[in-house]
Amino acid sequence: MKSRFITSAAVGLAAVLALAGCGSSAPAADGQVTLKMVESLTNPTRTDTIEKLIAGFEKENPKIKVELISPPTDQADQKIQQMLQSGKGIDVVEARDITVGSFGANKWLYDMSADLKGWDGWNNLTDNAVNYSKQDGKTYYIPYGFYGLSLFYRTDVVKAAGFSGPPASWSDLLEQSTAMNKPAENKFGYAFRGGANANSNAVAIIEAYVADEIDKENAFKLTSGKTIFSSPKAQEAMDLYIDLFKKGSPPSSVAWGYPEMVQGFTNGSTSFLLQDPEVIATVKESKSITSEQWNVAPLLTGPSGKAIQPVASAGWGIAESSKAKPEAVKLIKYLAQGDAATTFTKDNSLVPILKSAAQDSFYSTGPWAAYVTMTEHPDTYISAVQPRGVSWWTEWIKKSDGELQRVLTGQMSTTELLAGWDSYWSQKMAG
């Protein structure tokens, strides 16, 4: 989930590092304050939305100016880390559940708990938004929305192939993808993720296969205390997953990350895509497929008919080094309320943070209906928390992506992969 967004060349490495060296955000003699705000999941449409929201904030707060910095997505977290580490040129920062652990452990993020005590905005947020804001007694960020996996599928291709509906399970996906795989025609079944953040979809199938035994508070553990990777069902899951790559996916998808996966679906070359809801907005903009040719189905289930839906989040936080924390808090409050919060979630196709969204028809029709289905059937689509906040999560991504790549290229077996992942997490969770 996230390394999800299409790369934008808005700011190159040199420009970002130069900005990181810019001066203080402390108030000027005339009381003017300039906040430097850095986003991580950059794409042009999203950046436009943020800039419009900033304009609304500046209109209400004429003494505060906000400069938005938009590094290319594939480099953004590294650049943000460099800026936070330097302690310069950054006030408001996009923090994600996969980065907040290391950022917090290094004391780079400001705990907003005292500033937000008694804030009436808490009453308008969903339980998930409140819970993810207040973790381990600290508030390092307020979520702007949530991500949740679902299956994007070609309605016309599924029907033409003789299937009555989209895949409901991972085994269904393998069957349908294999039937639709026609390399000679440049038509393939599944938009496989073999490149950046490839581990995320591999973990999704493993979690579905061990759903009856999973620890909902730590989705990398079984209720027995062992890791999910130790289960014989994990072996079954990974073997099917590699079959999906070999029999139902483009060979080039061995290197596909988020942009390539989405492009493979939106240009019509693949029929299935497992992704987060922000892709809805991207698919709607496609010139290659019409609105009648695609839809969204719930997350794929395992052998027991269940799936694990990991809640993933991101939001806005404040750099510990910021010299304009009161103004930064004011901006974060603005983005987490009313029209600003609603506009951001709708424009980026995110699961909303406001309770009021429950009465909004936008979220109960069309592609969003799959998310309503999952919400209404919590015993089938089970919500569980992945340990994304641990300080070693970035290390895990690098390790797991590299090893999965070795499996896909025939340099490692699935058995060796799972043994290594089991050993890694057993040691980490014991220590």
Side-chain angles (χ1 to χ4, degrees), residues 271-306:
S271 297
F272 301 112
L273 170 70
L274 193 67
Q275 261 299 340
D276 299 317
E278 82 274 4
V279 175
I280 291 173
T282 305
V283 180
K284 283 181 176 179
E285 295 174 359
S286 172
K287 304 299 183 184
S288 300
I289 56 175
T290 67
S291 59
E292 292 78 25
Q293 291 179 298
W294 69 280
N295 208 337
V296 178
L299 183 58
L300 298 158
T301 60
S304 67
K306 299 175 184 177

Side-chain angles (χ1 to χ4, degrees), residues 174-341:
L174 175 59
E175 179 187 4
Q176 293 197 20
S177 294
T178 302
M180 296 168 189
N181 220 48
K182 300 175 182 178
E185 300 175 21
N186 196 35
K187 296 293 182 182
F188 303 92
Y190 179 58
F192 194 89
R193 186 167 203 159
N197 210 29
N199 72 91
S200 60
N201 287 1
V203 169
I205 186 172
I206 292 171
E207 289 176 337
Y209 270 63
V210 301
D212 285 335
E213 310 166 59
I214 208 158
D215 182 340
K216 296 177 185 177
E217 299 304 316
N218 183 346
F220 278 25
K221 279 175 63 178
L222 303 174
T223 51
S224 66
K226 295 181 179 180
T227 79
I228 61 172
F229 310 112
S230 67
S231 171
K233 294 176 184 176
Q235 182 69 61
E236 185 182 350
M238 281 305 301
D239 288 343
L240 185 148
Y241 192 58
I242 300 306
D243 275 349
L244 180 59
F245 169 67
K246 293 178 178 178
K247 299 176 181 178
S249 307
S252 60
S253 64
V254 67
W256 283 11
Y258 173 85
E260 295 83 9
M261 295 169 70
V262 175
Q263 185 177 26
F265 186 79
T266 57
N267 69 18
S269 63
T270 62
S271 297
F272 301 112
L273 170 70
L274 193 67
Q275 261 299 340
D276 299 317
E278 82 274 4
V279 175
I280 291 173
T282 305
V283 180
K284 283 181 176 179
E285 295 174 359
S286 172
K287 304 299 183 184
S288 300
I289 56 175
T290 67
S291 59
E292 292 78 25
Q293 291 179 298
W294 69 280
N295 208 337
V296 178
L299 183 58
L300 298 158
T301 60
S304 67
K306 299 175 184 177
I308 298 299
Q309 179 64 280
V311 178
S313 70
W316 303 111
I318 299 173
E320 179 63 51
S321 60
S322 172
K323 294 181 173 60
K325 292 185 178 73
E327 292 80 8
V329 169
K330 186 174 286 190
L331 173 59
I332 289 172
K333 286 181 177 179
Y334 177 86
L335 295 172
Q337 299 176 86
D339 289 342

Side-chain angles (χ1 to χ4, degrees), residues 83-107:
M83 296 171 81
L84 289 170
Q85 197 166 10
S86 74
K88 297 177 181 178
I90 186 167
D91 297 292
V92 177
V93 57
E94 184 167 5
R96 302 159 62 194
D97 54 9
I98 62 173
T99 59
V100 70
S102 59
F103 290 175
N106 283 295
K107 303 186 186 306

Side-chain angles (χ1 to χ4, degrees), residues 52-107:
K52 289 174 185 174
L53 298 180
I54 286 173
F57 173 77
E58 290 176 337
K59 186 175 181 180
E60 290 187 14
N61 300 273
K63 290 286 188 180
I64 306 174
K65 178 177 173 56
V66 183
E67 291 183 6
L68 180 64
I69 302 168
S70 304
T73 303
D74 58 354
Q75 305 170 30
D77 288 338
Q78 179 185 354
K79 306 302 175 289
I80 288 172
Q81 180 173 320
Q82 291 170 347
M83 296 171 81
L84 289 170
Q85 197 166 10
S86 74
K88 297 177 181 178
I90 186 167
D91 297 292
V92 177
V93 57
E94 184 167 5
R96 302 159 62 194
D97 54 9
I98 62 173
T99 59
V100 70
S102 59
F103 290 175
N106 283 295
K107 303 186 186 306

